[in-house]
Amino acid sequence: MTTHGPFLGAVQETLLIPLYGRAVEHRKEDAALRDARAEEIVAALPYDFGRFDGLPSLAGTVLRTVLFDRWVRDFLTTHPAGTVVEIGTGLNTRYERVDNGRARWFELDLPDVVDVRRSFFTDTPRRTMIAASVTDSAWTETVAADADGPYFFSAEAVLPFLDETDVRAVVGMLAERFPGSWLALDTAGPAIVDDQDRHDALSKVDARMRWSCAGPDVVTGWCPGTELLASHTLSALPPRVHDPLPAAYQEMLAGLAEQRLPQVEEYRLNLFRLP
């Protein structure tokens, strides 16, 4: 395991990559998103974030977050008093970016992550941290007992690090316990998983993805009646997400679309409605 802190397990350490991506983005004059809290947290943590400087993947984490933010906003527009559950929340600040003042929020992650998170965030009547593994069904009882639906589950950069059997069990658990809920997750194809030792960011940490997914049809096949609402690659974001992006991002994405790299084409951001 790396010794760069801050007292996180190998997989949990990966949460620091998107955190740093948002902090770097916040400093730009023309930014895809603003996240002052991310910059504050980066400054406070005992970690060598410089090892991620200049990595193309930082831009990818920002674009993924922009799309997930849009999906949560869409959900809250339709269901302003709904419930948002951040699975593997890490040090995400989605609540600060998109909360509408009415929704119920739960932020779920492993105990060591929640310990770090509590240094920067505090529970409120509408916002609760849960220290548990996503594979432990007990946390679903906490959510169901304390909040009414409808529910939006956001699993950003989390499930690919689990075994496929665990991912399938989690999806099935959500479908059974929270029927009709929305579920956002990312999937990584074989070219990405097989080549991750050379990935610009993952090569700098110990964690490795274990779930290789050919596409969203795999997930819809697990639970009959699951509806695929959206699926995008980073190089083919929906116009309402792509068009407001800074010109530098649009130029970069146009180049990626022309190259059609397997590492880009096989990484998909997906939104489902569970049966």
Side-chain angles (χ1 to χ4, degrees), residues 201-244:
L202 287 180
S203 63
K204 299 182 182 300
V205 297
D206 291 340
R208 289 294 179 266
M209 292 180 284
R210 306 204 297 264
W211 177 38
S212 174
C213 180
D217 289 350
V218 172
V219 178
T220 57
W222 290 341
C223 296
T226 298
E227 180 184 0
L228 179 64
L229 300 178
S231 184
H232 304 283
T233 65
L234 291 174
S235 62
L237 295 170
R240 65 200 181 107
V241 173
H242 173 276
D243 294 350

Side-chain angles (χ1 to χ4, degrees), residues 2 37 57 60 83 93 108-109 125 139 150 173-174 179 209 212 218 254:
T2 56
R37 289 302 309 278
S57 286
T83 298
T93 53
L108 169 75
D109 216 316
W139 69 265
M173 176 175 66
L174 295 179
M209 292 180 284
S212 174
V218 172

Side-chain angles (χ1 to χ4, degrees), residues 97-161:
R97 292 190 301 274
V98 309
D99 177 58
N100 64 356
R102 296 178 57 189
R104 185 71 167 93
W105 291 74
F106 293 92
E107 295 165 328
L108 169 75
D109 216 316
L110 294 169
D112 59 342
V113 176
V114 172
D115 283 346
V116 175
R117 188 172 179 85
R118 290 194 183 280
S119 300
F120 304 100
F121 303 95
T122 304
D123 287 351
T124 71
R126 290 196 303 108
R127 186 184 194 184
T128 302
M129 284 177 269
I130 302 176
S133 168
V134 65
T135 60
D136 181 357
S137 62
W139 69 265
T140 66
E141 300 301 325
T142 300
V143 171
D146 199 33
D148 296 327
Y151 302 90
F152 187 108
F153 295 92
S154 174
E156 182 180 354
V158 176
L159 299 183
F161 292 96

Side-chain angles (χ1 to χ4, degrees), residues 32-33 39 48 115 131 171 196 242:
L33 61 75
E39 191 169 19
D48 177 19
D115 283 346
V171 173
Q196 59 186 313
H242 173 276

Side-chain angles (χ1 to χ4, degrees), residues 4-133:
H4 300 272
F7 313 110
L8 294 173
V11 172
Q12 297 92 300
E13 185 184 9
T14 62
L15 68 85
L16 301 173
I17 300 170
L19 171 70
Y20 190 54
R22 298 194 311 276
V24 170
E25 190 69 18
H26 179 77
R27 301 171 196 152
K28 295 179 181 179
E29 182 176 351
D30 191 13
L33 61 75
R34 297 293 178 190
D35 195 337
R37 289 302 309 278
E39 191 169 19
E40 294 170 5
I41 294 169
V42 164
L45 288 176
Y47 189 83
D48 177 19
F49 286 98
R51 62 214 298 253
F52 302 132
D53 279 338
L55 300 184
S57 286
L58 291 186
T61 66
V62 169
L63 292 172
R64 180 183 64 215
T65 294
V66 169
L67 178 58
F68 275 53
D69 280 1
R70 168 49 57 192
W71 283 339
V72 175
R73 286 191 182 99
D74 290 346
F75 171 79
L76 293 179
T77 296
T78 304
H79 307 288
T83 298
V84 179
V85 182
E86 292 280 333
I87 293 173
T89 186
L91 290 170
N92 202 356
T93 53
R94 182 160 288 121
Y95 178 93
E96 281 74 14
R97 292 190 301 274
V98 309
D99 177 58
N100 64 356
R102 296 178 57 189
R104 185 71 167 93
W105 291 74
F106 293 92
E107 295 165 328
L108 169 75
D109 216 316
L110 294 169
D112 59 342
V113 176
V114 172
D115 283 346
V116 175
R117 188 172 179 85
R118 290 194 183 280
S119 300
F120 304 100
F121 303 95
T122 304
D123 287 351
T124 71
R126 290 196 303 108
R127 186 184 194 184
T128 302
M129 284 177 269
I130 302 176
S133 168

